[in-house]
Amino acid sequence: MSEKMPNWLKQRAYLTPERPAIITKHETLSFQELLIRVEQLADQLTTVGVRQGMHCALLIQNNIDSIVLIRALETIGAISVMLNIRLTEKELAWQMNDADVSYCFYTSDFQDKALTAGKEVQSIKLYSITQVKSLKTSSSSSRSMFKLDELHTIMYTSGTTGKPKGVMMTYGNHWWSAIGSSLNLGIAEKDRWLICVPLFHVSGLSILMRSLFYGITIVLHERFEADAVNTSIINEQVTMISVVSAMLTTMLKQLGEETYPENLRCVLLGGGPAPMPLLELCKHKRVPVFQTYGMTETASQIVTLSPEYMLSKLGSAGKPLFPAQLRIVQDGQDMERNNEGEIVVCGPNVTKGYYKRPDATEITIQQGWLHTGDMGYLDKDGFLYVLDRRSDLIISGGENIYPAEIESVLLEHPSVLEVGVCGVESERWGEVPAAVLVFEKNSFCSGIELKQFLEERLAKYKIPKVFYSVEKLPRNASMKLLRRTLKSWIKHEKLTLLH
Amino acid sequence: MSEKMPNWLKQRAYLTPERPAIITKHETLSFQELLIRVEQLADQLTTVGVRQGMHCALLIQNNIDSIVLIRALETIGAISVMLNIRLTEKELAWQMNDADVSYCFYTSDFQDKALTAGKEVQSIKLYSITQVKSLKTSSSSSRSMFKLDELHTIMYTSGTTGKPKGVMMTYGNHWWSAIGSSLNLGIAEKDRWLICVPLFHVSGLSILMRSLFYGITIVLHERFEADAVNTSIINEQVTMISVVSAMLTTMLKQLGEETYPENLRCVLLGGGPAPMPLLELCKHKRVPVFQTYGMTETASQIVTLSPEYMLSKLGSAGKPLFPAQLRIVQDGQDMERNNEGEIVVCGPNVTKGYYKRPDATEITIQQGWLHTGDMGYLDKDGFLYVLDRRSDLIISGGENIYPAEIESVLLEHPSVLEVGVCGVESERWGEVPAAVLVFEKNSFCSGIELKQFLEERLAKYKIPKVFYSVEKLPRNASMKLLRRTLKSWIKHEKLTLLH
């Protein structure tokens, strides 16, 4: 039997109506005020035909309207399909089709993108949030109870097979994720969590959840700008912030000789292994950085360093959250401490699977254990060290980039015979993608031409920053591409650069 | 499908092995050290034959051995039947028989009581914890996972029908209770929760649970002594404490002109409505008192005042914990705000029912809603004010006393024809029981004789402090005893006092 809970926002607004829920540059909303807006928008969404169980795509920027939209869909019981605003129209259309969405709601900035993408999605209805907000309302559409096993969100992630997969997240996944986090990071009434990561990512969405459950305030930034974030931390009593390495590096550079005030008690650092110099700098400047490891499939963090080990276990992602578990597996065997293997996790925050992909689900989740594909080891005290995200994954400024997806698009080019994509180091982004091509006989293409070809097919951040050509790609006996060899060839300049 | 979780203590000892788990006058144990003791005792308990699913009675005082015992039974998967040490041997035997216990474990102080009571329980095995601790161990008996719908504890509570009923508490009830509490009271790594309430009560047991989940320290007192508790708060960085009114009154008296240090952030005040003068004093002395309402059936608190309303809603028990719900019902109808009715609650911390009492369960829990029998109302902002515990319940120094139980014992006396028991005010205990008797024709009995008669049949705190005789008890048309009338007769001295 699935646990039921009172409607999260209604309950929070009943318990602590006057506490500030969201602070932006423009306004402050209490939980009660947020509830009023959400209930009104829910009624307006019902007026345009949204019903419980329907799939609705969201193409949104970070603002209060977007938060109100997410909560309104929740109160109706519709499923939010979170779209990455950096995707191309083609990619967006593909995801909306795959997710069987009936509606797409967007903030005004993305009107063109939404309308163009929407043309390729059958019988979809598209509305800007502003349009919906102008409607007269009729009915009351607010649910009183949520079931923890209901589907809440679909969020796309790619993989080795090329096409993105829709990660299904239930109400329970979000709830347990937030609870697990609180048992490690604590909860204080005066907490304020700054959001400068996208709401359509699990990093941003999970903060919305924590805010309701803990009754704490969100300080919402429309985008990441280091100086604005630093000013906010210093002037607005921010206690917690979620960042990736590239962001924190810029923030510390901008901060210069200064330090953060004591109210900042947690800098949650996710999105791939952090560079050691950054961690050393945080140690030196007494920035309370908590390394963490998680993914869309785990509804954000699943392994996080506890406060007391922040300094002594620098570089470690920590230990699992209280309700979760962690194993290191190689060839089906649990590895001894200090031995490398695949990171395998389990817990009530872990997704039940990928939307309409029983095959991929079966491979990834075995007896409740999620095989992350990432490599790591546990030290003698049981702390996780992440060595490498899954060998093919490129994490660039917090965005996941899957080589297979770029490769499959490049193979559509008439001059390209074979292609291998891998990540190369970037001081600013951590990594950026690079492509190594084998051309068709008597064919050739410049780097500029390839970029142009990709620009209308892939989000900008996915487009390789450099292109190389080679006679033959490195492959093993079973013809599997050896991406590590590819990386090493690039590093040692063994390839021909394409201009 | 029920959620599973890693073995709570093992997980906590894995996550934060070095944090102090328990501090007593005599020693400090880290979570790792606690785990080692628990695993050893679990093996010893297995050696004497304890197995998963068996019911084991506990007759324990507040000490580390008792905590180790509770956790060892948990790790084996045996069910703890928590006995109130103040019960008579007859009462203990009755509960052990009712709960189908196979074992009784006791701390040395209660050896005589346990052995005497045990004589009346068929094929029970009795051991002092010391005996078990001296055994050689063999096997490993520690479970790796707990299921939230498994039975964890049986704890007896009485009711209008006279005989106590075993409240069944699952792992999930305890878990959700602690999580609900944390979302209201917060969690800080440096928290220390002082236990001076009995471990066999839900007030004490629930602190053991919170300690594991939050990773916080218990400061354990063997018994309540106001000066020792005050010293502990001042010298041992205690941040939280659970008390009932009678205890807090004594503590403040003993404290005199002084105040508590700032580290004390939460005085959780339960066990019946608090007298207004006490709350006023707390307000004056800036004692951070959180009024709360709960019962064994809700695995401790279910309604608690949020920090920001501590002063403005003085006298209110607050609002439900985040996962729980609250209604005021009269004649099957939900009452408007400010109108009195029965307090009805619901949530994942609420018991699934009474052991082997489907009838009582069905009456008390309807469609998941627990009918508490207590009266109260919600003010215009939705805050609960508890007017009266269920009309027949007497709360004396935090112990629940059920008149029906005392009445049924007094009716066994040959001279007694009819009897009514109710609570009368006591400055020290809040309330104490009083008995009003109608004697058999030509029969009579002194108060002293009646006390002697009761002493071997009832725990001392249940024995009426005063006895009255009357010609006829106040009853309504359907012959139901009118306890409020009885109270008013006593108050206005309309009855004959028995010496």
Side-chain angles (χ1 to χ4, degrees):
Chain A
M1 196 198 65
S2 164
E3 286 297 351
K4 282 188 297 185
M5 289 184 69
N7 178 319
W8 292 337
L9 175 59
K10 280 191 177 187
Q11 181 79 345
R12 176 48 61 195
Y14 165 41
L15 298 182
T16 54
E18 289 145 28
R19 278 195 204 169
I22 309 170
I23 297 177
T24 71
K25 229 171 20 182
H26 311 294
E27 59 180 330
T28 297
L29 273 192
S30 71
F31 283 106
Q32 180 61 32
E33 289 162 338
L34 177 62
L35 176 65
I36 291 168
R37 290 207 200 171
V38 166
E39 301 227 304
Q40 168 142 3
L41 190 67
D43 293 348
Q44 287 158 328
L45 288 167
T46 307
T47 307
V48 302
V50 176
R51 296 289 177 274
Q52 181 164 5
M54 284 184 176
H55 293 198
C56 302
L58 277 66
L59 193 65
I60 52 170
Q61 58 172 337
N62 279 17
N63 60 29
I64 288 191
D65 274 356
S66 301
I67 296 181
V68 171
L69 174 61
I70 292 168
R71 299 261 94 113
L73 291 171
E74 186 178 274
T75 212
I76 294 171
I79 288 95
S80 291
V81 178
M82 309 302 275
L83 300 174
N84 188 326
I85 57 169
R86 302 173 75 182
L87 298 181
T88 64
E89 285 86 351
K90 267 186 204 305
E91 292 171 312
L92 292 172
W94 189 91
Q95 292 190 5
M96 287 196 279
N97 276 312
D98 187 69
D100 299 317
V101 305
S102 311
Y103 290 84
C104 175
F105 299 102
Y106 52 86
T107 48
S108 49
D109 328 34
F110 305 120
Q111 170 145 342
D112 293 348
K113 215 168 198 176
L115 296 183
T116 310
K119 279 184 197 140
E120 293 176 45
V121 186
Q122 260 208 329
S123 67
I124 192 175
K125 299 197 185 86
L126 298 111
Y127 293 93
S128 75
I129 305 180
T130 317
Q131 277 177 294
V132 180
K133 279 171 70 180
S134 69
L135 295 171
K136 287 215 175 120
T137 64
S138 44
S139 55
S140 170
S141 38
S142 185
R143 296 187 298 160
S144 61
M145 300 296 289
F146 295 160
K147 282 190 197 152
L148 290 191
D149 63 359
E150 277 180 276
L151 185 58
H152 183 286
T153 324
I154 297 176
M155 207 177 267
Y156 277 82
T157 175
S158 297
T160 45
T161 50
K163 283 296 182 190
K165 301 188 294 283
V167 178
M168 297 188 291
M169 284 182 264
T170 61
Y171 282 72
N173 291 148
H174 289 304
W175 165 259
W176 283 90
S177 164
I179 295 305
S181 176
S182 73
L183 296 176
N184 184 36
L185 302 178
I187 304 175
E189 195 199 335
K190 66 174 202 318
D191 274 337
R192 291 183 165 191
W193 206 309
L194 191 150
I195 301 186
C196 55
V197 288
L199 291 175
F200 57 77
H201 266 188
V202 72
S203 54
L205 186 64
S206 61
I207 302 172
L208 293 197
M209 299 298 166
R210 296 180 200 126
S211 162
L212 279 200
F213 304 147
Y214 311 165
I216 64 167
T217 306
I218 288 166
V219 176
L220 183 67
H221 284 230
E222 286 196 9
R223 62 187 63 78
F224 173 72
E225 277 165 6
D227 51 350
V229 168
N230 282 343
T231 306
S232 195
I233 291 173
I234 293 164
N235 295 338
E236 296 182 295
Q237 294 82 50
V238 168
T239 63
M240 313 181 84
I241 183 171
S242 301
V243 291
V244 301
S245 296
M247 293 161 71
L248 187 55
T249 304
T250 327
M251 284 162 62
L252 292 178
K253 199 169 276 175
Q254 200 272 341
L255 193 67
E257 290 303 302
E258 290 183 50
T259 51
Y260 290 114
E262 282 222 338
N263 51 265
L264 185 69
R265 71 178 185 88
C266 168
V267 175
L268 195 62
L269 179 60
M276 221 40 200
L278 175 62
L279 296 176
E280 294 286 357
L281 180 61
C282 288
K283 184 175 171 177
H284 173 71
K285 285 180 91 82
R286 295 176 182 276
V287 179
V289 63
F290 292 71
Q291 274 229 81
T292 179
Y293 169 76
M295 60 213 76
T296 308
E297 285 87 337
T298 59
S300 88
Q301 313 160 60
I302 187 156
V303 177
T304 304
L305 205 59
S306 281
E308 64 258 59
Y309 300 107
M310 204 173 65
L311 298 179
S312 60
K313 295 288 183 181
L314 209 66
S316 166
K319 291 178 176 178
L321 299 184
F322 193 86
Q325 289 176 283
L326 170 63
R327 287 160 55 204
I328 300 293
V329 174
Q330 195 68 286
D331 303 324
Q333 298 291 315
D334 275 76
M335 301 303 287
E336 299 279 321
R337 295 282 162 98
N338 285 317
N339 283 286
E340 188 181 331
E342 186 184 7
I343 302 168
V344 176
V345 295
C346 158
N349 55 325
V350 173
T351 178
K352 297 285 176 290
Y354 301 105
Y355 184 60
K356 296 194 302 190
R357 299 284 172 88
D359 52 335
T361 302
E362 205 176 299
I363 291 167
T364 311
I365 304 166
Q366 295 166 19
Q367 280 126 24
W369 289 87
L370 175 78
H371 292 253
T372 65
D374 298 331
M375 300 298 287
Y377 69 92
L378 298 176
D379 74 2
K380 66 174 180 24
D381 302 317
F383 286 82
L384 176 67
Y385 288 78
V386 181
L387 291 171
D388 222 349
R389 299 300 287 236
R390 61 188 95 177
S391 53
D392 60 330
L393 176 63
I394 303 163
I395 306 183
S396 188
E399 292 281 5
N400 288 353
I401 302 174
Y402 296 86
E405 191 182 0
I406 305 170
E407 288 163 4
S408 74
V409 177
L410 275 170
L411 284 172
E412 291 171 19
H413 192 284
S415 303
V416 176
L417 176 67
E418 283 184 71
V419 57
V421 169
C422 64
V424 291
E425 276 176 35
S426 152
E427 202 177 316
R428 174 142 190 218
W429 304 113
E431 280 193 308
V432 290
V436 181
L437 301 136
V438 179
F439 288 110
E440 293 278 357
K441 218 171 183 178
N442 303 323
S443 283
F444 179 76
C445 226
S446 72
I448 294 166
E449 283 171 284
L450 290 165
K451 273 190 190 166
Q452 279 170 350
F453 176 80
L454 291 175
E455 263 159 17
E456 56 190 66
R457 291 170 173 85
L458 283 177
K460 205 173 163 201
Y461 67 92
K462 296 179 186 172
I463 296 173
K465 298 290 169 288
V466 273
F467 296 86
Y468 299 95
S469 80
V470 74
E471 297 240 324
K472 208 175 159 208
L473 289 172
R475 296 189 186 275
N476 67 8
S478 53
M479 290 307 286
K480 206 173 158 244
L481 181 67
L482 299 168
R483 282 184 218 279
R484 291 198 189 193
T485 310
L486 210 58
K487 276 191 175 190
S488 127
W489 285 4
I490 294 172
K491 200 170 176 185
H492 299 97
E493 300 177 4
K494 295 192 175 175
L495 303 168
T496 314
L497 187 65
L498 296 172
H499 294 284
Chain B
M1 197 198 66
S2 163
E3 286 297 350
K4 283 188 296 186
M5 287 183 70
N7 178 319
W8 293 337
L9 175 58
K10 279 191 178 189
Q11 181 79 344
R12 176 47 64 195
Y14 164 42
L15 298 182
T16 55
E18 289 144 28
R19 278 194 204 170
I22 310 168
I23 297 177
T24 71
K25 232 174 12 186
H26 311 294
E27 59 179 331
T28 297
L29 273 192
S30 70
F31 283 106
Q32 180 60 33
E33 289 163 338
L34 177 61
L35 176 65
I36 291 168
R37 290 208 199 169
V38 166
E39 301 227 306
Q40 168 142 2
L41 191 67
D43 293 347
Q44 286 158 328
L45 289 166
T46 307
T47 307
V48 303
V50 177
R51 296 288 177 274
Q52 181 164 4
M54 284 183 175
H55 292 197
C56 302
L58 277 66
L59 194 64
I60 52 170
Q61 59 172 339
N62 279 16
N63 60 29
I64 287 191
D65 274 356
S66 301
I67 295 181
V68 172
L69 175 62
I70 291 168
R71 298 262 94 114
L73 291 170
E74 186 178 275
T75 213
I76 294 171
I79 288 96
S80 290
V81 178
M82 308 302 277
L83 300 174
N84 188 327
I85 56 170
R86 302 174 74 181
L87 298 181
T88 64
E89 285 85 348
K90 268 188 204 303
E91 292 172 312
L92 292 172
W94 188 92
Q95 292 191 5
M96 287 196 278
N97 276 313
D98 187 68
D100 299 317
V101 305
S102 310
Y103 289 84
C104 175
F105 300 101
Y106 52 86
T107 48
S108 49
D109 328 35
F110 307 119
Q111 170 144 341
D112 293 349
K113 215 168 198 177
L115 296 184
T116 311
K119 279 184 198 142
E120 293 177 44
V121 186
Q122 260 208 329
S123 67
I124 192 175
K125 299 196 185 85
L126 299 111
Y127 293 93
S128 75
I129 304 181
T130 317
Q131 277 177 291
V132 180
K133 278 170 71 180
S134 69
L135 295 172
K136 288 213 175 122
T137 64
S138 45
S139 54
S140 171
S141 38
S142 184
R143 296 187 299 160
S144 60
M145 300 296 290
F146 295 161
K147 281 191 198 152
L148 290 189
D149 63 359
E150 277 179 278
L151 185 58
H152 183 286
T153 325
I154 296 176
M155 208 177 266
Y156 277 82
T157 175
S158 297
T160 45
T161 52
K163 283 295 182 192
K165 299 187 295 282
V167 177
M168 298 189 289
M169 284 182 263
T170 61
Y171 283 72
N173 292 148
H174 289 303
W175 165 259
W176 283 88
S177 164
I179 294 304
S181 176
S182 74
L183 296 177
N184 184 36
L185 302 178
I187 304 175
E189 195 199 333
K190 65 174 203 317
D191 274 336
R192 291 182 165 193
W193 206 308
L194 191 150
I195 301 186
C196 55
V197 288
L199 291 175
F200 57 78
H201 267 186
V202 73
S203 55
L205 186 64
S206 61
I207 303 171
L208 293 197
M209 299 299 167
R210 294 179 202 127
S211 163
L212 279 200
F213 305 147
Y214 311 166
I216 64 167
T217 307
I218 289 166
V219 176
L220 183 67
H221 283 231
E222 284 195 10
R223 62 188 62 79
F224 173 72
E225 276 164 6
D227 51 351
V229 168
N230 282 344
T231 307
S232 195
I233 290 173
I234 293 163
N235 295 338
E236 297 182 296
Q237 294 83 52
V238 168
T239 64
M240 313 180 84
I241 183 172
S242 301
V243 291
V244 301
S245 297
M247 293 160 71
L248 187 55
T249 304
T250 327
M251 284 161 61
L252 292 178
K253 199 169 276 175
Q254 200 272 341
L255 193 67
E257 291 302 304
E258 290 184 49
T259 51
Y260 291 114
E262 282 223 338
N263 52 265
L264 184 70
R265 70 176 186 90
C266 168
V267 175
L268 196 63
L269 179 60
M276 220 40 200
L278 175 61
L279 296 176
E280 295 285 357
L281 181 60
C282 289
K283 184 175 170 175
H284 173 70
K285 285 180 91 80
R286 295 175 182 276
V287 178
V289 63
F290 293 72
Q291 275 229 82
T292 180
Y293 168 75
M295 59 214 77
T296 308
E297 284 88 337
T298 60
S300 88
Q301 315 159 60
I302 187 157
V303 178
T304 304
L305 205 58
S306 283
E308 65 258 59
Y309 300 108
M310 204 173 66
L311 298 178
S312 59
K313 295 288 182 182
L314 210 65
S316 165
K319 291 178 175 177
L321 299 185
F322 193 86
Q325 289 175 283
L326 170 63
R327 287 160 54 204
I328 300 293
V329 174
Q330 195 68 285
D331 303 324
Q333 298 291 314
D334 275 77
M335 301 303 285
E336 300 279 320
R337 295 282 161 97
N338 285 317
N339 283 286
E340 188 181 330
E342 186 184 8
I343 302 168
V344 176
V345 294
C346 159
N349 55 326
V350 172
T351 178
K352 296 286 176 290
Y354 302 106
Y355 185 61
K356 296 193 303 190
R357 298 286 172 86
D359 52 335
T361 302
E362 205 177 300
I363 291 167
T364 311
I365 304 167
Q366 295 166 18
Q367 280 125 23
W369 289 87
L370 175 78
H371 292 253
T372 65
D374 298 332
M375 300 298 287
Y377 69 91
L378 299 177
D379 75 2
K380 67 174 180 20
D381 301 318
F383 286 82
L384 175 68
Y385 288 78
V386 181
L387 291 170
D388 224 349
R389 299 300 286 236
R390 59 189 97 178
S391 53
D392 59 330
L393 175 64
I394 303 163
I395 306 184
S396 188
E399 292 280 4
N400 288 354
I401 303 174
Y402 296 86
E405 190 181 1
I406 305 170
E407 289 164 3
S408 74
V409 176
L410 275 168
L411 283 172
E412 290 171 20
H413 192 284
S415 302
V416 175
L417 176 65
E418 284 185 70
V419 57
V421 170
C422 64
V424 292
E425 277 176 34
S426 152
E427 202 177 315
R428 174 142 189 219
W429 303 113
E431 281 193 308
V432 290
V436 182
L437 302 135
V438 180
F439 288 111
E440 294 277 359
K441 220 173 182 175
N442 303 323
S443 284
F444 179 76
C445 226
S446 72
I448 293 166
E449 284 172 282
L450 288 166
K451 273 190 190 167
Q452 279 169 350
F453 176 80
L454 289 176
E455 263 159 17
E456 56 190 67
R457 291 171 174 84
L458 283 177
K460 205 173 163 199
Y461 67 92
K462 296 179 186 173
I463 296 173
K465 297 292 167 288
V466 273
F467 295 86
Y468 299 95
S469 79
V470 73
E471 297 240 324
K472 208 177 157 209
L473 288 172
R475 296 188 185 275
N476 68 8
S478 53
M479 292 306 286
K480 206 174 158 245
L481 182 67
L482 300 169
R483 282 185 218 279
R484 291 198 189 191
T485 311
L486 208 59
K487 277 190 175 192
S488 128
W489 285 4
I490 293 173
K491 200 169 174 185
H492 299 97
E493 301 177 3
K494 294 194 173 174
L495 303 167
T496 314
L497 188 64
L498 295 172
H499 294 282

